[in-house]
Amino acid sequence: MRAQFVMSEIGVGLRRNLTMTFAVIISVALSLALFGGSLLMREQVSRMKGYWYDKANVSIYLCNKQDAEQATEAADKTAGSGDLGVATCRKGAVTDEQKKQIEAELKQMSLVKSVAYESADEAYKHYQEQYGHTALASSITPDQMQESFRVKLKDPEKYKVVTSAFAGRDGIHTVDDQRQAIDALFGILNYVNIAALGIMLIMLIVALLLIVNTVRVSAFSRRRETGIMRLVGASSFYIQVPFIMEAAVAGLIGAFLACAMLVSGQYFVIDHGFELRDKIQLIDFMGWTSVLAKLPYVLFIGLLMPSMAAFLALRKYLKV
């Protein structure tokens, strides 16, 4: 009988404040969808970092004859030029002895995973494969391309060790780390994630305020029933349970809607519909395992947050 009474009171409370309940459900759904999306965004950024950092190489470009000629001309025109490539290539193109020494030192470094040499002809071939359709490609010749060493590190975070060891040496034009360009992209993604977290917090605050106001209105509209229950000796917890359950049910419905949004986003945006997984193969998108792992957190918060808000509101506005 008591359980039936509590369930009937929950139904009555939800129907009496239908518009406010609907507002609570939508606010909770949006805030929790942003919460789940933020968790997924953080995991996606970490996943992309691991994927791209593993592919990022440190490229050591060697001086060729054209670099040496341009360095000499530049040195004559502007003494003391700050261009590192100009200063190092001024002594001429890289020699076979210098190449062997650079390769040997690279292989001796404990943080280096592998070293690959790329000749000028190979560099020209790769350039034509990537940019052969452009007008500039027709004016490039193999002798203009630079030889290079492509260095893969065991820990990409320590790229500065290689840069400091080889930058400025004779025969080396520049030391280029691809990770620096990747970091700029990840910086933008991190800012997007922070913005999403900020919006999520605002929506959570709005949802909490709506829950508190809904509980206040519900308690006020049933003050006569509450007074009768006090007179017949009902406990404080028994009186509060229907109000807490109303908020919990509304929050749980919002949580299920948030889960539906996350699942729909994975299905329609990543896998099907827009098919970003197939169209943008450069990004290692998360799978269903990551999405499904976040749903219990969304449901738990969707149930706990409204219940706690309702409990605290009742302690303040419903003296029993």
Side-chain angles (χ1 to χ4, degrees), residues 140-154:
I140 300 295
T141 58
D143 61 299
Q144 293 176 298
M145 305 303 294
Q146 294 171 324
E147 301 170 88
S148 63
F149 288 105
R150 303 300 171 92
V151 185
K152 185 176 287 294
L153 303 178
K154 295 177 182 177

Side-chain angles (χ1 to χ4, degrees), residues 155-183:
D155 183 3
E157 299 282 343
K158 298 181 179 179
Y159 68 94
K160 291 183 179 180
V161 175
V162 177
T163 303
S164 61
F166 291 93
R169 290 179 53 169
D170 293 342
I172 295 178
H173 186 274
T174 52
V175 180
D176 180 38
D177 174 50
Q178 297 172 350
R179 183 179 176 276
Q180 293 176 333
I182 296 172
D183 279 342

Side-chain angles (χ1 to χ4, degrees), residues 171-246:
I172 295 178
H173 186 274
T174 52
V175 180
D176 180 38
D177 174 50
Q178 297 172 350
R179 183 179 176 276
Q180 293 176 333
I182 296 172
D183 279 342
L185 171 62
F186 289 138
I188 296 173
L189 292 176
N190 286 329
Y191 283 125
V192 172
N193 191 33
I194 292 171
L197 285 172
I199 296 172
M200 177 204 71
L201 289 174
I202 293 172
M203 292 301 300
L204 282 175
I205 292 171
V206 171
L208 287 171
L209 292 176
L210 281 171
I211 291 167
V212 170
N213 287 331
T214 301
V215 171
R216 288 180 64 184
V217 171
S218 181
F220 181 78
S221 64
R222 282 184 281 176
R223 62 189 183 282
R224 183 177 179 182
E225 293 93 327
T226 301
I228 294 173
M229 292 175 69
R230 286 199 195 100
L231 293 174
V232 298
S235 65
S236 300
F237 178 74
Y238 188 70
I239 296 174
Q240 293 175 356
V241 164
F243 299 101
I244 295 174
M245 291 295 292
E246 287 172 25

Side-chain angles (χ1 to χ4, degrees), residues 284-305:
D284 183 22
F285 285 104
M286 293 178 299
W288 282 101
T289 303
S290 299
V291 176
L292 296 177
K294 303 298 182 293
L295 300 187
Y297 295 103
V298 173
L299 292 173
F300 177 73
I301 294 176
L303 181 63
L304 180 64
M305 180 187 70

Side-chain angles (χ1 to χ4, degrees), residues 25-210:
I25 291 172
I26 297 301
S27 299
V28 170
L30 291 176
S31 59
L32 292 180
L34 286 169
F35 169 73
S38 299
L39 293 180
L40 291 172
M41 174 68 79
R42 290 184 63 184
E43 184 173 334
Q44 181 66 64
V45 171
S46 299
R47 188 185 185 98
M48 289 172 63
K49 281 183 178 179
Y51 178 80
W52 283 108
Y53 283 177
D54 184 62
K55 294 181 179 297
N57 298 322
V58 176
S59 299
I60 300 177
Y61 293 100
L62 308 178
C63 299
N64 57 23
K65 292 182 180 180
Q66 187 176 10
D67 293 330
E69 292 173 359
Q70 291 177 349
T72 303
E73 293 176 2
D76 293 338
K77 293 179 180 178
T78 57
S81 172
D83 189 337
L84 194 59
V86 169
T88 55
C89 293
R90 192 184 306 166
K91 295 182 180 181
V94 65
T95 63
D96 292 337
E97 184 179 350
Q98 287 173 334
K99 284 190 285 188
K100 291 179 181 178
Q101 184 179 358
I102 293 169
E103 185 175 9
E105 291 183 19
L106 284 170
K107 290 182 177 179
Q108 289 176 359
M109 298 181 74
S110 59
L111 60 86
V112 173
K113 185 177 182 180
S114 63
V115 180
Y117 170 75
E118 183 180 72
S119 65
D121 291 333
E122 290 173 337
Y124 177 76
K125 181 181 178 181
H126 293 155
Y127 182 86
Q128 291 296 325
E129 289 175 353
Q130 294 182 359
Y131 306 104
H133 60 283
T134 62
L136 182 62
S138 60
S139 62
I140 300 295
T141 58
D143 61 299
Q144 293 176 298
M145 305 303 294
Q146 294 171 324
E147 301 170 88
S148 63
F149 288 105
R150 303 300 171 92
V151 185
K152 185 176 287 294
L153 303 178
K154 295 177 182 177
D155 183 3
E157 299 282 343
K158 298 181 179 179
Y159 68 94
K160 291 183 179 180
V161 175
V162 177
T163 303
S164 61
F166 291 93
R169 290 179 53 169
D170 293 342
I172 295 178
H173 186 274
T174 52
V175 180
D176 180 38
D177 174 50
Q178 297 172 350
R179 183 179 176 276
Q180 293 176 333
I182 296 172
D183 279 342
L185 171 62
F186 289 138
I188 296 173
L189 292 176
N190 286 329
Y191 283 125
V192 172
N193 191 33
I194 292 171
L197 285 172
I199 296 172
M200 177 204 71
L201 289 174
I202 293 172
M203 292 301 300
L204 282 175
I205 292 171
V206 171
L208 287 171
L209 292 176
L210 281 171

